[in-house]
mmCIF file of all heavy atoms in Angstrom:
data_model
loop_
_atom_site.group_PDB
_atom_site.id
_atom_site.type_symbol
_atom_site.label_atom_id
_atom_site.label_comp_id
_atom_site.label_asym_id
_atom_site.label_seq_id
_atom_site.Cartn_x
_atom_site.Cartn_y
_atom_site.Cartn_z
ATOM 1 N N ILE A 6 108.638 72.110 125.447
ATOM 2 C CA ILE A 6 109.522 71.206 124.702
ATOM 3 C C ILE A 6 109.307 71.391 123.204
ATOM 4 O O ILE A 6 110.260 71.452 122.427
ATOM 5 C CB ILE A 6 109.287 69.744 125.125
ATOM 6 C CG1 ILE A 6 109.746 69.539 126.570
ATOM 7 C CG2 ILE A 6 110.026 68.781 124.192
ATOM 8 C CD1 ILE A 6 109.353 68.209 127.162
ATOM 9 N N ILE A 18 116.536 65.891 126.113
ATOM 10 C CA ILE A 18 116.036 66.885 127.058
ATOM 11 C C ILE A 18 116.608 66.558 128.428
ATOM 12 O O ILE A 18 116.552 65.412 128.875
ATOM 13 C CB ILE A 18 114.498 66.890 127.101
ATOM 14 C CG1 ILE A 18 113.929 67.380 125.756
ATOM 15 C CG2 ILE A 18 113.979 67.778 128.204
ATOM 16 C CD1 ILE A 18 113.584 66.325 124.809
ATOM 17 N N VAL A 19 117.184 67.555 129.097
ATOM 18 C CA VAL A 19 117.790 67.365 130.412
ATOM 19 C C VAL A 19 116.967 68.140 131.442
ATOM 20 O O VAL A 19 116.649 69.301 131.241
ATOM 21 C CB VAL A 19 119.246 67.862 130.434
ATOM 22 C CG1 VAL A 19 119.861 67.682 131.814
ATOM 23 C CG2 VAL A 19 120.065 67.137 129.390
ATOM 24 N N ASP A 20 116.617 67.468 132.523
ATOM 25 C CA ASP A 20 115.844 68.084 133.601
ATOM 26 C C ASP A 20 116.637 67.923 134.893
ATOM 27 O O ASP A 20 116.829 66.810 135.375
ATOM 28 C CB ASP A 20 114.476 67.422 133.712
ATOM 29 C CG ASP A 20 113.610 68.046 134.778
ATOM 30 O OD1 ASP A 20 114.045 69.016 135.431
ATOM 31 O OD2 ASP A 20 112.475 67.564 134.958
ATOM 32 N N PHE A 21 117.093 69.034 135.457
ATOM 33 C CA PHE A 21 117.899 68.994 136.674
ATOM 34 C C PHE A 21 117.052 69.005 137.944
ATOM 35 O O PHE A 21 117.588 68.954 139.037
ATOM 36 C CB PHE A 21 118.877 70.175 136.701
ATOM 37 C CG PHE A 21 120.012 69.999 135.735
ATOM 38 C CD1 PHE A 21 119.969 70.582 134.483
ATOM 39 C CD2 PHE A 21 121.103 69.234 136.078
ATOM 40 C CE1 PHE A 21 121.009 70.415 133.595
ATOM 41 C CE2 PHE A 21 122.149 69.061 135.199
ATOM 42 C CZ PHE A 21 122.099 69.659 133.944
ATOM 43 N N PHE A 22 115.739 69.082 137.803
ATOM 44 C CA PHE A 22 114.832 69.062 138.951
ATOM 45 C C PHE A 22 113.767 68.010 138.691
ATOM 46 O O PHE A 22 112.585 68.313 138.546
ATOM 47 C CB PHE A 22 114.213 70.448 139.170
ATOM 48 C CG PHE A 22 115.236 71.520 139.354
ATOM 49 C CD1 PHE A 22 115.645 72.315 138.298
ATOM 50 C CD2 PHE A 22 115.832 71.701 140.590
ATOM 51 C CE1 PHE A 22 116.607 73.294 138.465
ATOM 52 C CE2 PHE A 22 116.804 72.679 140.770
ATOM 53 C CZ PHE A 22 117.186 73.477 139.706
ATOM 54 N N ALA A 23 114.176 66.767 138.637
ATOM 55 C CA ALA A 23 113.338 65.689 138.126
ATOM 56 C C ALA A 23 112.381 65.088 139.144
ATOM 57 O O ALA A 23 111.801 64.045 138.882
ATOM 58 C CB ALA A 23 114.235 64.585 137.576
ATOM 59 N N GLY A 24 112.182 65.715 140.256
ATOM 60 C CA GLY A 24 111.397 65.168 141.357
ATOM 61 C C GLY A 24 110.199 64.325 140.989
ATOM 62 O O GLY A 24 110.098 63.166 141.358
ATOM 63 N N SER A 25 109.243 64.845 140.236
ATOM 64 C CA SER A 25 108.027 64.088 139.928
ATOM 65 C C SER A 25 108.021 63.571 138.497
ATOM 66 O O SER A 25 107.009 63.023 138.048
ATOM 67 C CB SER A 25 106.789 64.961 140.165
ATOM 68 O OG SER A 25 106.828 66.079 139.300
ATOM 69 N N SER A 26 109.097 63.743 137.758
ATOM 70 C CA SER A 26 109.250 63.246 136.380
ATOM 71 C C SER A 26 108.236 63.830 135.406
ATOM 72 O O SER A 26 107.852 63.194 134.434
ATOM 73 C CB SER A 26 109.197 61.718 136.351
ATOM 74 O OG SER A 26 110.248 61.178 137.101
ATOM 75 N N THR A 27 107.798 65.056 135.646
ATOM 76 C CA THR A 27 106.848 65.710 134.743
ATOM 77 C C THR A 27 107.443 65.868 133.357
ATOM 78 O O THR A 27 106.763 65.640 132.348
ATOM 79 C CB THR A 27 106.459 67.092 135.306
ATOM 80 O OG1 THR A 27 105.951 66.915 136.619
ATOM 81 C CG2 THR A 27 105.432 67.764 134.444
ATOM 82 N N THR A 28 108.708 66.246 133.279
ATOM 83 C CA THR A 28 109.356 66.423 131.978
ATOM 84 C C THR A 28 109.470 65.093 131.245
ATOM 85 O O THR A 28 109.204 65.025 130.041
ATOM 86 C CB THR A 28 110.751 67.052 132.147
ATOM 87 O OG1 THR A 28 110.605 68.290 132.852
ATOM 88 C CG2 THR A 28 111.414 67.302 130.813
ATOM 89 N N ALA A 29 109.838 64.038 131.942
ATOM 90 C CA ALA A 29 109.944 62.713 131.316
ATOM 91 C C ALA A 29 108.592 62.280 130.752
ATOM 92 O O ALA A 29 108.515 61.761 129.629
ATOM 93 C CB ALA A 29 110.445 61.686 132.329
ATOM 94 N N GLU A 30 107.542 62.501 131.503
ATOM 95 C CA GLU A 30 106.199 62.157 131.032
ATOM 96 C C GLU A 30 105.837 62.945 129.781
ATOM 97 O O GLU A 30 105.299 62.398 128.812
ATOM 98 C CB GLU A 30 105.172 62.434 132.135
ATOM 99 C CG GLU A 30 103.743 62.156 131.746
ATOM 100 C CD GLU A 30 103.442 60.681 131.555
ATOM 101 O OE1 GLU A 30 104.185 59.840 132.090
ATOM 102 O OE2 GLU A 30 102.462 60.384 130.863
ATOM 103 N N VAL A 32 107.899 64.229 127.549
ATOM 104 C CA VAL A 32 108.717 63.741 126.436
ATOM 105 C C VAL A 32 108.131 62.449 125.887
ATOM 106 O O VAL A 32 107.989 62.282 124.661
ATOM 107 C CB VAL A 32 110.184 63.533 126.883
ATOM 108 C CG1 VAL A 32 110.984 62.800 125.812
ATOM 109 C CG2 VAL A 32 110.834 64.861 127.214
ATOM 110 N N ARG A 44 114.931 61.759 123.649
ATOM 111 C CA ARG A 44 115.409 61.071 124.848
ATOM 112 C C ARG A 44 115.490 62.083 125.973
ATOM 113 O O ARG A 44 115.472 63.292 125.733
ATOM 114 C CB ARG A 44 116.775 60.447 124.580
ATOM 115 C CG ARG A 44 116.681 59.325 123.558
ATOM 116 C CD ARG A 44 118.031 58.844 123.142
ATOM 117 N NE ARG A 44 118.599 59.867 122.254
ATOM 118 C CZ ARG A 44 119.857 59.891 121.870
ATOM 119 N NH1 ARG A 44 120.693 58.991 122.293
ATOM 120 N NH2 ARG A 44 120.300 60.835 121.067
ATOM 121 N N PHE A 45 115.565 61.588 127.181
ATOM 122 C CA PHE A 45 115.627 62.508 128.311
ATOM 123 C C PHE A 45 116.600 62.010 129.349
ATOM 124 O O PHE A 45 116.836 60.811 129.475
ATOM 125 C CB PHE A 45 114.251 62.737 128.941
ATOM 126 C CG PHE A 45 113.532 61.478 129.331
ATOM 127 C CD1 PHE A 45 113.734 60.895 130.570
ATOM 128 C CD2 PHE A 45 112.632 60.888 128.461
ATOM 129 C CE1 PHE A 45 113.068 59.745 130.939
ATOM 130 C CE2 PHE A 45 111.950 59.742 128.821
ATOM 131 C CZ PHE A 45 112.171 59.174 130.061
ATOM 132 N N ILE A 46 117.178 62.954 130.066
ATOM 133 C CA ILE A 46 118.054 62.671 131.200
ATOM 134 C C ILE A 46 117.447 63.395 132.392
ATOM 135 O O ILE A 46 117.289 64.616 132.363
ATOM 136 C CB ILE A 46 119.488 63.162 130.946
ATOM 137 C CG1 ILE A 46 120.086 62.449 129.723
ATOM 138 C CG2 ILE A 46 120.354 62.955 132.190
ATOM 139 C CD1 ILE A 46 121.415 63.017 129.276
ATOM 140 N N MET A 47 117.109 62.646 133.414
ATOM 141 C CA MET A 47 116.512 63.231 134.614
ATOM 142 C C MET A 47 117.541 63.192 135.739
ATOM 143 O O MET A 47 118.136 62.143 136.015
ATOM 144 C CB MET A 47 115.270 62.440 135.049
ATOM 145 C CG MET A 47 114.188 62.368 133.991
ATOM 146 S SD MET A 47 113.359 63.928 133.781
ATOM 147 C CE MET A 47 113.793 64.313 132.104
ATOM 148 N N ILE A 48 117.745 64.314 136.384
ATOM 149 C CA ILE A 48 118.720 64.424 137.472
ATOM 150 C C ILE A 48 118.006 64.993 138.692
ATOM 151 O O ILE A 48 117.326 66.009 138.602
ATOM 152 C CB ILE A 48 119.881 65.349 137.078
ATOM 153 C CG1 ILE A 48 120.587 64.794 135.836
ATOM 154 C CG2 ILE A 48 120.842 65.542 138.240
ATOM 155 C CD1 ILE A 48 121.532 65.758 135.193
ATOM 156 N N GLN A 49 118.156 64.324 139.804
ATOM 157 C CA GLN A 49 117.583 64.831 141.060
ATOM 158 C C GLN A 49 118.639 64.698 142.146
ATOM 159 O O GLN A 49 119.020 63.596 142.516
ATOM 160 C CB GLN A 49 116.321 64.051 141.440
ATOM 161 C CG GLN A 49 115.689 64.509 142.737
ATOM 162 C CD GLN A 49 115.160 65.940 142.650
ATOM 163 O OE1 GLN A 49 114.499 66.298 141.682
ATOM 164 N NE2 GLN A 49 115.451 66.740 143.641
ATOM 165 N N LEU A 50 119.111 65.811 142.617
ATOM 166 C CA LEU A 50 120.090 65.786 143.697
ATOM 167 C C LEU A 50 119.377 65.593 145.026
ATOM 168 O O LEU A 50 118.285 66.149 145.230
ATOM 169 C CB LEU A 50 120.887 67.087 143.713
ATOM 170 C CG LEU A 50 121.690 67.367 142.446
ATOM 171 C CD1 LEU A 50 122.329 68.744 142.529
ATOM 172 C CD2 LEU A 50 122.740 66.303 142.244
#
Side-chain angles (χ1 to χ4, degrees):
I6 293 170
I18 293 95
V19 179
D20 182 1
F21 287 97
F22 303 96
S25 62
S26 298
T27 304
T28 303
E30 178 69 21
V32 170
R44 293 172 286 168
F45 53 87
I46 299 171
M47 301 288 116
I48 300 167
Q49 179 65 46
L50 299 175

